[in-house]
Amino acid sequence: MENFEDRNHIKRFVGTTIDQKLVTIKGNSFLEYRNKFEKARDSYVRGEYPLEISFDTVSYCNLMCKMCYRSFLSNTKHENMPMEIVDKLVKQIKEFRIPSVRFAAQTESLLHPDISIILKKITGCDLLDCWIITNGVFLSEYIREIIIDIPVTVLSVSLDAATPKTYKNIRGGGGLEKVKDNIMNFLSLRQKRNSPLPLLRVTFVEQADNKHETNLFLDSWKDIADIVDIQTFKDYSILKDTPSKPNNKSFKCFDPFFRMVVNYDGQLFPCCPGPIYYKSINPVFIQNVDIKSYWQSEELLSLTQSIRDKKYPECCKRCLNVMDI
């Protein structure tokens, strides 16, 4: 694993460049999609529709990780995305030809009791890219078979530790060895099916309690995973009543230029941290407003222009405030 990419708040270690590998598998249409993505990322170019929909199928998680914003919430609902919302989402992804979907913006989507149905519905939208982000605890044999057969583009497993002791300290449960077994069983099945997909990504949020294991983590996974990401720590302990800090000129936010987030209850947001920070005067739900209308709304156009001008609104400043950059 020789290639290294600095992706804003992520240090990415890969073998063969991932986009090149996926272009080989998926063809020129994938290359066109990625070119649009990079224009959004590097030049703040925003298309007629979002390039990606990120969504949570549930409102909860089976773990309580130290670095997760959920650890600092006073109330956490245990609700599942209704299938009516899933069907509306599927219909609009097809109608507007959204090329990419990412499961799990903030929670553990594999906990949804009908996750297998949802996976099949969403991936039936003729997507170019589909990521599942999970803690890996519920990566059962049945789910492994589904995501390989569909196939999903990337299976991303959040680990944040190289040893069981550190894993338990940071993630509060789950068991590192169990998750590693799930991953290795996934890789074995992928090989048995002679499938190049899904690619395997493992992630490590570098923080005080695991920083001593960063190199061990890299060494442990560099010859196993297709992607190893070392992510910047976000200090959500200062989430409440914290003053906004000055504009951070070095950080470049591009989420609202390519992505839209759909919450488990159908509420739409312009970015991945939206459910935490973004406060709309008139909350918008996919049950009432379609993706295109929200994407092209005056509210979002104003937000994206403020980001271009580095005149971040209060919600963006609060987001930057927890970034260790």
Side-chain angles (χ1 to χ4, degrees):
M1 186 169 284
E2 299 176 353
N3 296 304
F4 165 74
E5 303 172 15
D6 191 346
R7 305 183 67 83
N8 211 8
H9 65 286
I10 297 174
K11 294 187 184 302
R12 173 163 295 175
F13 300 84
V14 296
T16 303
T17 302
I18 297 304
D19 284 356
Q20 292 176 352
K21 182 181 289 188
L22 289 172
V23 168
T24 301
I25 296 169
K26 292 174 172 281
N28 287 334
S29 55
F30 185 85
L31 178 61
E32 292 171 7
Y33 147 68
R34 290 302 300 175
N35 285 340
K36 290 178 181 178
F37 179 92
E38 293 303 329
K39 285 182 180 179
R41 181 177 183 267
D42 296 332
S43 304
Y44 288 150
V45 175
R46 201 166 183 267
E48 186 178 3
Y49 309 104
L51 292 171
E52 177 183 289
I53 299 294
S54 295
F55 73 103
D56 285 308
T57 65
V58 298
S59 66
Y60 53 99
C61 185
N62 56 303
L63 301 181
M64 191 62 76
C65 304
K66 284 186 174 182
M67 66 284 184
C68 181
Y69 82 100
R70 296 182 66 260
S71 298
F72 304 98
L73 297 178
S74 56
N75 286 308
T76 54
K77 298 179 180 179
H78 277 59
E79 296 184 13
N80 303 315
M81 178 178 276
M83 291 305 292
E84 308 90 80
I85 294 179
V86 174
D87 289 339
K88 281 186 176 291
L89 188 56
V90 167
K91 180 181 178 182
Q92 293 185 31
I93 289 171
K94 289 180 177 179
E95 180 181 354
F96 301 128
R97 298 178 182 272
I98 308 297
S100 175
V101 165
R102 185 170 298 214
F103 281 84
Q106 307 291 342
T107 62
E108 177 53 57
S109 282
L110 295 185
L111 284 169
H112 196 289
D114 294 319
I115 186 60
S116 60
I117 297 173
I118 295 173
L119 278 168
K120 291 174 182 177
K121 282 177 177 284
I122 293 291
T123 53
C125 295
D126 196 25
L127 300 169
L128 290 171
D129 205 5
C130 178
W131 286 45
I132 294 179
I133 300 174
T134 175
N135 56 43
V137 174
F138 293 95
L139 192 60
S140 66
E141 181 178 359
Y142 182 54
I143 294 298
R144 294 194 295 266
E145 289 178 347
I146 290 174
I147 65 176
I148 292 172
D149 288 342
I150 288 173
V152 166
T153 310
V154 175
L155 170 66
S156 178
V157 185
S158 307
L159 294 173
D160 308 306
T163 64
K165 182 179 179 180
T166 300
Y167 184 92
K168 184 177 180 180
N169 178 32
I170 289 178
R171 311 215 103 216
L176 178 59
E177 294 306 318
K178 176 184 177 180
V179 175
K180 286 174 69 175
D181 283 346
N182 287 343
I183 293 173
M184 299 312 291
N185 287 331
F186 154 74
L187 290 173
S188 177
L189 182 60
R190 188 180 73 174
Q191 183 178 28
K192 182 179 178 181
R193 297 285 176 85
N194 195 28
S195 175
L197 300 176
L199 301 180
L200 172 64
R201 173 193 189 229
V202 293
T203 63
F204 183 97
V205 178
E206 192 174 54
Q207 53 200 284
D209 289 341
N210 69 2
K211 199 168 186 177
H212 62 287
E213 292 188 359
T214 302
N215 290 334
L216 179 58
F217 182 83
L218 280 169
D219 289 341
S220 299
W221 290 102
K222 65 181 182 180
D223 296 324
I224 299 174
D226 300 288
I227 310 167
V228 180
D229 279 352
I230 307 300
Q231 299 173 303
T232 300
F233 174 65
K234 300 178 183 180
D235 185 6
Y236 289 111
S237 66
I238 62 172
L239 192 60
K240 295 181 179 180
D241 303 321
T242 180
S244 301
K245 69 180 179 182
N247 290 348
N248 189 315
K249 300 295 185 182
S250 66
F251 187 80
K252 189 174 182 180
C253 176
F254 56 94
D255 257 32
F257 294 87
F258 79 93
R259 173 184 290 155
M260 182 183 293
V261 171
V262 183
N263 206 26
Y264 71 93
D265 59 359
Q267 186 171 355
L268 303 177
F269 294 96
C271 57
C272 197
I276 313 171
Y277 304 106
Y278 193 75
K279 304 298 181 185
S280 177
I281 298 174
N282 299 300
V284 176
F285 292 82
I286 199 169
Q287 296 93 311
N288 306 315
V289 177
D290 66 36
I291 288 170
K292 180 180 179 181
S293 298
Y294 183 62
W295 182 253
Q296 297 180 355
S297 66
E298 184 177 340
E299 181 175 313
L300 262 61
L301 293 176
S302 176
L303 173 68
T304 51
Q305 188 57 50
S306 70
I307 293 173
R308 286 191 186 98
D309 296 337
K310 293 285 186 178
K311 296 179 180 178
Y312 297 116
E314 196 64 23
C315 60
C316 295
K317 290 180 181 179
R318 284 177 63 80
C319 182
L320 282 172
N321 214 26
V322 302
M323 295 294 292
D324 185 19
I325 55 176

